[in-house]
Amino acid sequence: MSNVKIYHNPRCSKSRQTLQIIKDHGIAPKVIEYLKEPLEKSELENIAKSLGMRPKEFVRKNEAEFKDNNLVSKLEKDSDLFEAMAKFPKIIERPIIISDLGAVIGRPPENVLKVLKT
């Protein structure tokens, strides 16, 4: 299978485990370290569409940057929340995997199997 992307944080154990599952299936995914390569608002909108989720469903509400910047007030305003996610990438849930078969959040890491099997 080709065209597998993982939005990855190497410091996150779940993200590392998910990446290893992908590699164990003989797939060399495109790894996007979104903390080093910040995502644009439009890319976050596309990720949300792929996941079939609103941004509030894949934001880390317990993250310090979420709390410190009072982002709870933006939870119902998708456009504002996408902008906040672009500005504060640590608040994005991880890892996110997108393939030709769909998109999932790798929590638990085994969720990735849903978009690897044919």
Side-chain angles (χ1 to χ4, degrees):
M1 170 180 289
S2 59
N3 298 322
V4 175
K5 272 195 258 189
I6 179 170
Y7 294 87
H8 178 62
N9 177 351
R11 296 188 68 191
C12 170
S13 64
K14 300 292 184 200
S15 197
R16 290 191 309 270
Q17 290 169 14
T18 302
L19 179 57
Q20 190 59 52
I21 291 170
I22 295 168
K23 288 179 176 179
D24 288 348
H25 277 77
I27 298 166
K30 178 176 181 183
V31 178
I32 300 161
E33 289 189 34
Y34 64 92
L35 295 178
K36 290 182 181 177
E37 303 171 38
L39 305 176
E40 298 289 327
K41 180 181 175 187
S42 60
E43 189 168 3
L44 288 162
E45 291 169 340
N46 288 334
I47 290 169
K49 285 178 191 166
S50 295
L51 288 169
M53 295 179 172
R54 291 185 59 202
K56 72 177 187 177
E57 295 175 275
F58 63 101
V59 70
R60 297 172 61 86
K61 297 171 191 77
N62 290 324
E63 191 67 46
E65 287 185 352
F66 184 85
K67 293 176 181 180
D68 294 347
N69 291 287
N70 193 33
L71 298 178
V72 69
S73 65
K74 300 187 184 298
L75 282 175
E76 296 304 325
K77 301 171 190 154
D78 290 359
S79 182
D80 291 351
L81 191 52
F82 282 130
E83 287 177 16
M85 292 165 90
K87 186 174 180 180
F88 305 107
K90 281 186 179 179
I91 69 171
I92 301 168
E93 187 59 85
R94 60 187 181 257
I96 297 171
I97 305 88
I98 299 177
S99 78
D100 295 336
L101 298 176
V104 295
I105 295 173
R107 289 187 174 269
E110 294 77 19
N111 273 355
V112 71
L113 297 174
K114 296 174 186 174
V115 296
L116 297 183
K117 293 181 180 177
T118 55

